Amino acid sequence: MDTTPHTLDELASRAGAWLGRSTGAPGHTTAVVTDRFDRITWQDTYEQSAGLRELAGELGERYAHAPDLLTDAFLAAYKVAPQLRERAEMAPSRLVAHQVVAALTESAEFAGLRGETVGDPYAAAMAVLAQASALRGMLESGRDAQVRADRATRARQDAEDAADAVGEALRQAAAGAAEDGTVRAPAADAVRRAVEAAEATARQAAQDAGQALAAAVPGIRSAARKAAARAAEAVREEAALTRAWGVAPGDLERMPFDRRARLAERLRTSRLAEWAELIGRFRQMARGERARKVENATGELVGVTLGDDLSRVIPSELANLGLPELRAVFAARYAAGELMLYDSRGERATGRGAVVACVDTSHSMYESGPGGVTREAWAKACALALLDQARHAKRDFVGILFSSADKIQVFRFPAGSPAGIGQVLDFAETFLGGGTSYQRPLSEAAGVLEAEFADAARAHGDIVMITDDECGVTEEWTRGWNEAKRRLGFRVFGVAVGAPLAAGAGSVLEALSDNLRSVEDFTDVHAAADLFRVI
């Protein structure tokens, strides 16, 4: 035992060094540096997302600091340039969470994920939920380190209590100090022991926690890479799904969180969800065909004719304009429609009225072809691309689903109104079942064009009949149909899916159609490409 007297100043200096360390800042509880707006965004997203709240509750039952980790994971994905705090700035109990977030943000996979999530609270929340399983695994990998970190935190608190004891020992020592400021050895020894015990306890706890965390780092890093890759894949899949269904990014950004979550769930569970890639390829093909289509396309040149179309005047006629004495002749021939023009043969888009897609939804449309794609999937994908086509041309679109004569459902998409994704999904998901009747859907389609002509004086609509069956029609109905077609000037495009006989010579579909094709490979979106050049 030390019997040397100590001055009160010496004891205060030594104890003060410890007191200054033990009563410093307790450290941060989140690893990502945030501002007030970040915290508001997280809180709003958390309150709107039942999934995040459920995950926080589940993880919180086993890992006390899980809510802070979720905050970090969200903001690391959401912020434009997330900045991580130094380890020394963290509360000891949050060092495991800090390591998890560091492992996530340092991985190349996380950089790819951020390409989909930066600035989008919904996508960032989805990324967190997609990493839920991996976060559990990382927290489990760091369980021993967390136990020791919590122990270090408790040791720190014990040290705080020891600091209070040091203060009390100083007061007692001061009370027994001699007139020259020295303290009797037993009192000084009590102060020294209190200081050294506090230092030793905190130092050992911090060392144990650091060793345990170092041992957990490789497992956490490996899990972080997998988590980021899995989350990126999930976010990209959902983005591809919404694009395939024609949901514009701007519409998603304006959509409330809960509505967007419900939409995403509906898209994932839709009857045609597994065919989203086919739908996307159909729409992409249609866009390409629109880009190729030229108004008043001349097609293949086959000779010379007479007329007044200045876009097709032959060079020798144009040469007359260069001679003052022949300009009057040119003007006279132009007025009389007798200019020499290139004659052509080819496809020409003439439709101005509504586009009407009649889609067979009889039981046989369930059948699949190459690649496992069903007849229904091909037909609905084609119809959705026709919807895009009509909207691009500012034409009304009407989707008619039919089967037996008593089963029909009509979906209207006026050109002047937005095509809500809910209605689009209703159209795509509806399946009536039953047999096949041509007369009812075609009569309905002619009625749509008749009403449009009466209301807006628009004629020359287009009807696309997509079916997998041959069906008879009555002579009386045929007379009425031909009269309506003559009066309204509409065209009929027949598409037989998986039913070559329905498109065969002498079939009813052939008799009703101006343009007919048979589709056998349901993975081939280009089988209908010419439809999108002429409609």
Side-chain angles (χ1 to χ4, degrees):
M1 178 180 296
D2 183 9
T3 60
T4 305
H6 296 268
T7 67
L8 188 59
D9 287 342
E10 289 174 346
L11 292 174
S13 175
R14 185 170 184 184
W18 164 247
L19 288 169
R21 290 194 298 271
S22 65
T23 59
H28 292 281
T29 59
T30 55
V32 178
V33 177
T34 63
D35 58 28
R36 181 167 62 91
F37 299 104
D38 295 332
R39 292 189 290 273
I40 290 173
T41 299
W42 161 249
Q43 194 58 40
D44 286 347
T45 305
Y46 182 80
E47 290 174 357
Q48 293 179 65
S49 173
L52 286 178
R53 295 195 302 273
E54 290 171 7
L55 179 59
E58 176 203 337
L59 293 180
E61 291 179 359
R62 299 191 64 188
Y63 312 102
H65 313 304
D68 289 333
L69 174 59
L70 296 185
T71 303
D72 282 331
F74 171 84
L75 292 175
Y78 171 76
K79 285 173 64 68
V80 174
Q83 178 184 352
L84 259 62
R85 304 184 194 279
E86 297 295 332
R87 282 186 57 181
E89 300 178 74
M90 300 298 297
S93 61
R94 302 305 200 275
L95 288 177
V96 172
H98 180 276
Q99 182 59 55
V100 168
V101 178
L104 281 172
T105 56
E106 290 167 3
S107 68
E109 293 80 0
F110 196 79
L113 168 65
R114 283 174 42 76
E116 304 287 345
T117 61
V118 169
D120 186 340
Y122 175 86
M126 182 186 169
V128 174
L129 294 173
Q131 296 174 91
S133 177
L135 289 174
R136 293 187 196 95
M138 284 186 279
L139 288 172
E140 190 62 34
S141 296
R143 175 175 284 278
D144 182 52
Q146 185 64 58
V147 169
R148 298 191 186 204
D150 290 340
R151 190 178 300 157
T153 300
R154 289 193 297 273
R156 182 172 185 165
Q157 184 58 53
D158 291 344
E160 296 288 348
D161 296 339
D164 292 339
V166 168
E168 179 60 27
L170 280 174
R171 284 191 292 274
Q172 293 177 6
E179 291 183 2
D180 61 359
T182 59
V183 181
R184 293 192 304 272
D189 194 49
V191 173
R192 180 180 57 77
R193 286 199 306 272
V195 173
E196 291 179 350
E199 287 179 336
T201 300
R203 189 166 48 248
Q204 184 60 49
Q207 183 179 350
D208 289 348
Q211 291 173 346
L213 182 58
V217 165
I220 290 175
R221 284 179 176 166
S222 175
R225 289 193 297 270
K226 294 176 183 178
R230 190 176 302 115
E233 181 181 358
V235 173
R236 290 192 190 107
E237 283 179 357
E238 183 165 311
L241 196 59
T242 55
R243 284 195 298 269
W245 283 99
V247 184
D251 293 336
L252 288 176
E253 291 174 6
R254 292 187 294 269
M255 199 176 291
F257 188 98
D258 55 346
R259 183 181 169 199
R260 186 170 171 183
R262 290 195 300 271
L263 172 61
E265 180 63 21
R266 185 174 181 187
L267 291 178
R268 284 192 293 268
T269 58
S270 165
R271 288 185 62 252
L272 297 182
E274 63 180 304
W275 312 122
E277 190 268 341
L278 175 70
I279 294 169
R281 287 197 296 117
F282 241 110
R283 285 178 145 155
Q284 184 177 16
M285 177 273 293
R287 284 194 297 272
E289 294 303 321
R290 280 199 298 273
R292 292 176 55 192
K293 183 165 62 174
V294 179
E295 292 299 324
N296 300 316
T298 55
E300 177 186 359
L301 297 178
V302 295
V304 176
T305 187
L306 299 179
D308 60 1
D309 186 349
L310 296 177
S311 68
R312 295 190 289 139
V313 174
I314 66 174
S316 61
E317 286 278 24
L318 290 174
N320 292 334
L321 288 175
L323 301 173
E325 61 272 20
L326 293 179
R327 288 174 185 168
V329 175
F330 182 92
R333 294 181 65 178
Y334 173 68
E338 295 180 352
L339 292 174
M340 296 180 67
L341 313 175
Y342 284 120
D343 195 10
S344 62
R345 177 178 61 206
E347 300 165 343
R348 187 181 300 269
T350 60
R352 295 192 299 275
V355 177
V356 185
C358 299
V359 181
D360 190 345
T361 58
S362 59
H363 282 309
S364 55
M365 292 290 284
Y366 273 132
E367 294 185 22
S368 59
V373 181
T374 65
R375 298 174 178 181
E376 180 203 9
W378 192 95
K380 295 281 182 66
C382 182
L384 291 173
L386 287 169
L387 167 59
D388 289 349
Q389 190 83 350
R391 300 200 73 77
H392 183 267
K394 297 179 172 57
R395 300 169 66 182
D396 291 351
F397 177 83
V398 178
I400 299 177
L401 305 180
F402 71 93
S403 56
S404 307
D406 61 339
K407 292 185 177 181
I408 190 168
Q409 195 159 344
V410 180
F411 296 83
R412 299 177 185 273
F413 299 86
S417 302
I421 183 60
Q423 187 183 13
V424 172
L425 283 168
D426 288 341
F427 169 61
E429 292 179 333
T430 299
F431 193 90
L432 302 176
T436 303
S437 170
Y438 283 3
Q439 291 186 187
R440 178 78 187 280
L442 290 175
S443 293
E444 187 74 29
V448 167
L449 299 179
E450 183 80 59
E452 183 183 39
F453 182 73
D455 293 342
R458 285 198 298 269
H460 304 292
D462 293 310
I463 298 173
V464 182
M465 180 73 167
I466 308 176
T467 183
D468 72 338
D469 202 1
E470 172 75 344
C471 177
V473 294
T474 67
E475 185 177 341
E476 180 182 0
W477 180 88
T478 303
R479 284 196 297 269
W481 170 259
N482 289 335
E483 171 57 25
K485 187 176 181 184
R486 182 196 64 77
R487 185 174 66 258
L488 300 173
F490 59 76
R491 300 177 295 180
V492 181
F493 298 84
V495 182
V497 288
L501 292 179
S507 67
V508 172
L509 193 59
E510 182 196 38
L512 294 173
S513 303
D514 301 299
N515 181 301
L516 179 64
R517 82 225 42 243
S518 178
V519 179
E520 292 296 311
D521 182 358
F522 304 150
T523 64
D524 182 13
V525 300
H526 294 282
D530 62 310
L531 285 179
F532 300 92
R533 291 196 296 270
V534 298
I535 290 180

